[in-house]
Amino acid sequence: MGTEGAPRDPLLVSSKEDQNGFAYINKTSSLLKSTKWVLKSAMWLIFIAWVSFLFLVPSDSVKQLYTKLVHATSGTLFGNTGSIFLIYSGPVLIIAFLAIIYLGICGEDEIQEKKKKHASFRLWTFPIIIDGPFGVVTAAELIGIVLFAVYIIWAIIAYTFENITLLPLFGITDSGKRALFMLELTGLRLGFIGLICMAFLFLPVARGSILLRLIDIPFEHAARYHVWLGHLTMLLFTLHGLFFVIPWAIEGQLIEKLTAWQNFGVANLPGVISLSAGLLMWVTSLPPVRRRINFELFFYTHQLYVVFVVFLAMHVGDFIFSITAAGIFLFMLDRFLRFCQSRKTVDVLSAKCLPSGTVELVISKPEGLRYNALSWVFLQVRELSWLQWHPFSVSSSPLDGKHHVAVLIKVLGDWTEKLKGHISSVPEEQHGELDHLLQSNFTLKASIEGPYGHESPYHLTYENLILVAGGIGISPFVAILSDILHRIRDSKPCLPRNVLIVWAVKKSDELPLLHSLDMNSVCPNFNNTLNLEIQTYVTRESEPPLEEGKISECVSSSVFPAPSHGGMSSLVGTGNIIWSGAYMIVSTLGFILSVAVLDIFYINPYNISYWWYKGLLFTLCMAASIILFGGFVIVLWHLWDKKHSLQNNTEDEKKIDGLQYNESNVHKNSSHGDFVNMIKYGQRPEFKEIFGSMAARWGNVDIGVMVCGPTALQTSIAKECRSKNFGRMSGEPIFHFNSHSFDL
């Protein structure tokens, strides 16, 4: 998908307007639609065939076919490793290549060609399980969980029967030894099942992955799948290790076996090191440690994934490691690109401390950087820490301004306290004085990874929206509301006609976070097109602390109107599809070339056959291909981006033309007739009543429900959506649950 400023006219045949003045992108050419259909069908066929193969590998017929294929290619240049890589990892990379083409030709696809007459269920927005161990689980997620569970059970049963049939072949007559040997065989099978799960493990944490963009799953949602897969994978690998350790201990060979580093076959000691690193990551990722004890401990120990992966490759050798190679390779691609992007220091154009204990940062960005109002960025402030990265949702629409993006940060922990203190350290009399701002004591240097998020702005695809926020959870909804208003003003594709915002805050000093948006300045007379209602609940105050109708202004504690020396880097996987696609393709071809050169000039001539050594060389080829071949593309990408930025470098790039917190932008109440605004003190929102009222008002339609806030709030909204959907009568709406909360 091209950059924001790239021309897209060839994708548009014509446009049309509905009776309310909304412009929609019409049908693309029949050839383009046919191409997209062919690509989508091909990707689905490859994915179904790949998953079916993984599911049926434990069966005798598929296993025999697979064994024959591997043996038939054993004499080729890449040998067994190439065959296994092609079978297990090849489909994932092929789908990724096709996804580049698919997303490239999609461009900024139509949001919706016409309004639907009736509501319809969607598996991915229908909450089924609410209070289980997985949190809120939609119907689509439940199907995935069930399929994984069925595969694990089926594979264990199939391999157990196979192990029983293999026992007589080894001629072990002693019942005790047979039991111990059976335990080792079971451990071997559990290790293989763990490798199959690991083939999926790294895919969700590649933040800018082309595959996540293809299926439109943002990183904050995909991170949950990584957590689930991580628990499952480590459970299987732990059982795999235990089922070997127990027999070794009984036989009195524990230390000898654990420290064995075989040249041929599986090397035990690298496996012990890999499993130890994995266990440390697993234990520190458990909720009691990650949330209650020390998040930083979880973060830093998770960097042991390098040790985990490298020693796993040395443990099993190159050809077995090839089973998981695709997911790891895509993650490495994303990680290196993020590293290159985050090396650039970004201008913080404005830094403000708001009365509510919230910090607003306005950050410089290049004009062509592509993101939408649902995006996240990962932020590092080097004056505070060189290692800590924190995720924040953007609070400005991409249409607010060409050269900046804003984030709102709630002061909750040590890092945010330091950030607030650093901004507040500038004396009041020095605000706006550039000479003082250039002093080292008052600089604020930031690095950015992202933006990441949904490939498509799904908030624009619902005619009816209910946005539910708790506290600082209003931040993405400020961006969404601004985005809708800008699109109405500019006649861009945008479906929302009815928007209800339900916001619960503890104290009234948080109210300016939403009401500071001057809606009429963004889109005059927006109430002619958009029916907007805001219900705000101040839960810990029984009455307004100020005069009626007046809300405390957002007065900045500190402002850094820094000169624009550089914006966020465009080197991001969710950015320019041509460059990010070239980066992936060139790196992949470089990897294949590296392995071929290594085989031709080193492994085959010198008869290198040590499993652990070939596994190490395999991982080194993966890393080298990304750094050398992918790095070459990144250099070209950076030069192109720099040239493009210089061509578009005008004076307005240095302006902050987005959200302004000043007296002219304070809350406008319902007396102006612009929108309905209610503020209730000492109350909590009754979602059953609110949803019932909206259902009666809007009728048989799809209602997009978006929630951003604490886990308890998400659970309450999910329960209400499920209750309304299960008890739905004819002519009533369907509530589509969408969570927009980032919780690592």
Side-chain angles (χ1 to χ4, degrees):
M1 200 165 290
T3 58
E4 213 172 83
R8 304 186 191 277
D9 292 344
L11 299 181
L12 312 179
V13 176
S14 63
S15 63
K16 57 183 178 181
E17 292 191 5
D18 69 351
Q19 58 185 358
N20 292 315
F22 282 77
Y24 297 95
I25 298 175
N26 207 343
K27 296 182 178 180
T28 56
S29 68
S30 57
L31 177 60
L32 189 62
K33 283 199 168 186
S34 300
T35 305
K36 288 168 57 179
W37 182 86
V38 170
L39 288 170
K40 185 181 290 187
S41 301
M43 288 185 287
W44 268 111
L45 287 174
I46 294 171
F47 176 75
I48 293 172
W50 179 60
V51 171
S52 300
F53 166 76
L54 296 179
F55 192 89
L56 296 174
V57 160
S59 65
D60 290 334
S61 57
V62 174
K63 187 182 301 179
Q64 290 174 3
L65 179 64
Y66 159 71
T67 304
K68 289 180 180 179
L69 179 61
V70 172
H71 287 165
T73 57
S74 60
T76 60
L77 174 62
F78 297 104
N80 292 344
T81 303
S83 301
I84 296 175
F85 181 86
L86 182 62
I87 294 171
Y88 284 96
S89 295
V92 178
L93 296 178
I94 293 172
I95 291 174
F97 290 163
L98 295 177
I100 294 170
I101 304 173
Y102 179 81
L103 292 175
I105 66 173
C106 279
E108 191 175 298
D109 212 351
E110 65 269 13
I111 290 175
Q112 188 168 329
E113 293 187 4
K114 59 181 180 180
K115 294 184 291 185
K116 294 161 57 177
K117 295 182 179 180
H118 303 290
S120 59
F121 287 101
R122 302 171 190 172
L123 294 177
W124 55 91
T125 58
F126 195 121
I128 299 295
I129 300 176
I130 307 297
D131 297 317
F134 299 101
V136 178
V137 177
T138 65
E141 291 170 338
L142 182 61
I143 292 173
I145 292 172
V146 170
L147 288 177
F148 262 99
V150 170
Y151 166 73
I152 299 298
I153 296 171
W154 141 253
I156 290 176
I157 293 174
Y159 284 135
T160 300
F161 279 108
E162 184 178 349
N163 290 342
I164 294 173
T165 61
L166 288 175
L167 277 177
L169 300 179
F170 292 91
I172 303 175
T173 56
D174 183 81
S175 59
K177 291 185 177 180
R178 285 171 63 93
L180 295 178
F181 187 69
M182 183 66 177
L183 206 60
E184 291 187 20
L185 283 178
T186 303
L188 184 67
R189 304 301 190 182
L190 289 172
F192 177 79
I193 298 173
L195 287 174
I196 297 297
C197 294
M198 191 174 164
F200 296 89
L201 178 63
F202 284 86
L203 294 175
V205 285
R207 298 174 187 172
S209 169
I210 195 73
L211 297 180
L212 293 184
R213 294 180 63 184
L214 175 67
I215 56 181
D216 201 16
I217 295 181
F219 173 67
E220 70 269 20
H221 291 185
R224 292 205 314 157
Y225 309 148
H226 172 74
V227 172
W228 300 347
L229 287 166
H231 290 319
L232 177 60
T233 302
M234 286 312 304
L235 175 63
L236 290 168
F237 281 162
T238 302
L239 292 175
H240 163 73
L242 282 175
F243 282 19
F244 279 97
V245 167
I246 293 173
W248 294 344
I250 293 174
E251 294 171 351
Q253 299 179 320
L254 181 60
I255 302 301
E256 178 185 349
K257 290 286 189 179
L258 287 178
T259 57
W261 193 310
Q262 301 93 324
N263 290 326
F264 301 100
V266 172
N268 293 346
L269 184 55
V272 172
I273 296 173
S274 177
L275 181 59
S276 300
L279 287 173
L280 190 56
M281 288 191 292
W282 190 23
V283 170
T284 55
S285 70
L286 296 175
V289 178
R290 187 179 75 249
R291 295 179 181 175
R292 300 174 191 171
I293 298 178
N294 195 327
F295 178 83
E296 291 185 15
L297 179 63
F298 151 75
F299 177 80
Y300 294 136
T301 54
H302 239 62
Q303 309 313 307
L304 289 173
Y305 71 84
V306 178
V307 177
F308 175 73
V309 169
V310 172
F311 280 90
L312 175 65
M314 298 169 70
H315 172 57
V316 298
D318 58 334
F319 67 96
I320 298 178
F321 183 73
S322 296
I323 295 173
T324 66
I328 295 173
F329 185 71
L330 290 177
F331 171 76
M332 291 170 65
L333 280 168
D334 178 75
R335 188 66 190 86
F336 184 66
L337 189 60
R338 287 194 281 125
F339 172 80
C340 294
Q341 185 195 24
S342 64
R343 294 309 90 196
K344 183 177 183 180
T345 301
V346 180
D347 286 338
V348 177
L349 301 176
S350 172
K352 302 179 182 180
C353 294
L354 310 179
S356 59
T358 303
V359 172
E360 183 205 40
L361 299 182
V362 179
I363 301 164
S364 175
K365 78 171 185 68
E367 181 178 350
L369 185 66
R370 179 185 175 275
Y371 76 100
N372 62 54
L374 295 166
S375 295
W376 297 80
V377 296
F378 282 77
L379 178 68
Q380 177 206 58
V381 178
R382 297 181 182 179
E383 282 78 9
L384 307 181
S385 172
W386 281 77
L387 296 176
Q388 294 187 46
W389 291 83
H390 296 267
F392 302 102
S393 60
V394 302
S395 59
S396 60
S397 163
L399 301 176
D400 276 333
K402 297 179 180 179
H403 308 292
H404 81 273
V405 59
V407 295
L408 291 173
I409 301 171
K410 183 69 173 179
V411 179
L412 293 174
D414 292 340
W415 187 87
T416 51
E417 285 284 359
K418 291 179 183 178
L419 177 63
K420 180 181 178 182
H422 187 83
I423 297 171
S424 302
S425 65
V426 181
E428 191 73 27
E429 63 271 12
Q430 293 183 4
H431 292 174
E433 297 181 16
L434 183 59
D435 292 339
H436 292 287
L437 293 174
L438 294 178
Q439 296 178 13
S440 59
N441 291 337
F442 304 126
T443 58
L444 194 63
K445 297 178 181 178
S447 296
I448 301 291
E449 289 184 5
Y452 304 106
H454 282 271
E455 178 68 14
S456 61
Y458 69 83
H459 62 284
L460 300 176
T461 64
Y462 295 104
E463 185 178 354
N464 309 279
L465 279 175
I466 298 179
L467 310 178
V468 184
I472 194 61
I474 197 65
S475 175
F477 298 155
V478 172
I480 287 172
L481 184 56
S482 176
D483 198 42
I484 292 172
L485 293 173
H486 276 93
R487 287 177 172 272
I488 292 175
R489 181 194 67 189
D490 300 337
S491 297
K492 290 180 176 290
C494 176
L495 281 185
R497 306 291 197 281
N498 307 296
V499 177
L500 168 65
I501 299 178
V502 182
W503 186 25
V505 297
K506 294 179 180 179
K507 296 183 178 181
S508 57
D509 61 1
E510 296 183 60
L511 297 180
L513 293 178
L514 173 61
H515 299 296
S516 59
L517 177 61
D518 189 348
M519 302 180 196
N520 272 318
S521 125
V522 175
C523 181
N525 301 319
F526 69 87
N527 56 308
N528 294 333
T529 304
L530 180 69
N531 298 314
L532 174 63
E533 180 178 347
I534 300 177
Q535 298 181 12
T536 307
Y537 297 81
V538 184
T539 59
R540 295 190 179 179
E541 293 179 1
S542 57
E543 59 184 10
L546 304 174
E547 299 177 12
E548 185 178 359
K550 183 179 178 182
I551 299 173
S552 59
E553 301 172 8
C554 274
V555 181
S556 299
S557 299
S558 201
V559 180
F560 294 154
S564 181
H565 295 303
M568 298 162 56
S569 171
S570 296
L571 301 178
V572 56
T574 54
N576 190 306
I577 187 64
I578 296 176
W579 280 110
S580 58
Y583 168 65
M584 195 196 82
I585 293 173
V586 171
S587 298
T588 305
L589 295 177
F591 170 57
I592 296 172
L593 179 62
S594 300
V595 174
V597 170
L598 195 67
D599 282 338
I600 294 172
F601 295 102
Y602 182 59
I603 292 179
N604 294 334
Y606 293 95
N607 196 27
I608 304 297
S609 56
Y610 293 174
W611 283 27
W612 68 268
Y613 187 46
K614 293 178 70 174
L616 177 61
L617 292 175
F618 192 83
T619 56
L620 290 177
C621 283
M622 293 173 68
S625 64
I626 294 172
I627 295 172
L628 297 178
F629 293 90
F632 175 73
V633 176
I634 288 176
V635 169
L636 295 179
W637 186 354
H638 175 72
L639 293 175
W640 176 87
D641 180 59
K642 187 176 181 180
K643 180 180 178 181
H644 186 265
S645 298
L646 289 174
Q647 291 174 347
N648 293 279
N649 184 25
T650 56
E651 287 300 320
D652 64 339
E653 288 183 78
K654 301 180 181 180
K655 296 179 181 178
I656 305 172
D657 49 1
L659 300 177
Q660 299 289 329
Y661 288 102
N662 53 47
E663 190 172 358
S664 64
N665 291 337
V666 295
H667 164 63
K668 303 182 187 301
N669 57 36
S670 57
S671 64
H672 289 81
D674 298 324
F675 59 92
V676 177
N677 179 32
M678 296 182 296
I679 302 178
K680 300 182 179 181
Y681 291 86
Q683 300 182 37
R684 294 182 180 275
E686 293 291 339
F687 293 114
K688 184 176 182 180
E689 178 183 335
I690 293 171
F691 278 46
S693 173
M694 293 302 104
R697 185 187 305 179
W698 292 341
N700 184 15
V701 294
D702 290 305
I703 299 178
V705 180
M706 300 177 60
V707 56
C708 185
T711 302
L713 179 63
Q714 297 181 55
T715 301
S716 299
I717 299 302
K719 283 182 178 178
E720 196 56 43
C721 289
R722 183 181 65 177
S723 174
K724 293 295 183 184
N725 290 341
F726 277 136
R728 178 177 181 263
M729 304 294 290
S730 177
E732 292 184 340
I734 294 176
F735 293 87
H736 298 274
F737 176 80
N738 298 276
S739 172
H740 191 68
S741 295
F742 203 117
D743 183 15
L744 287 176

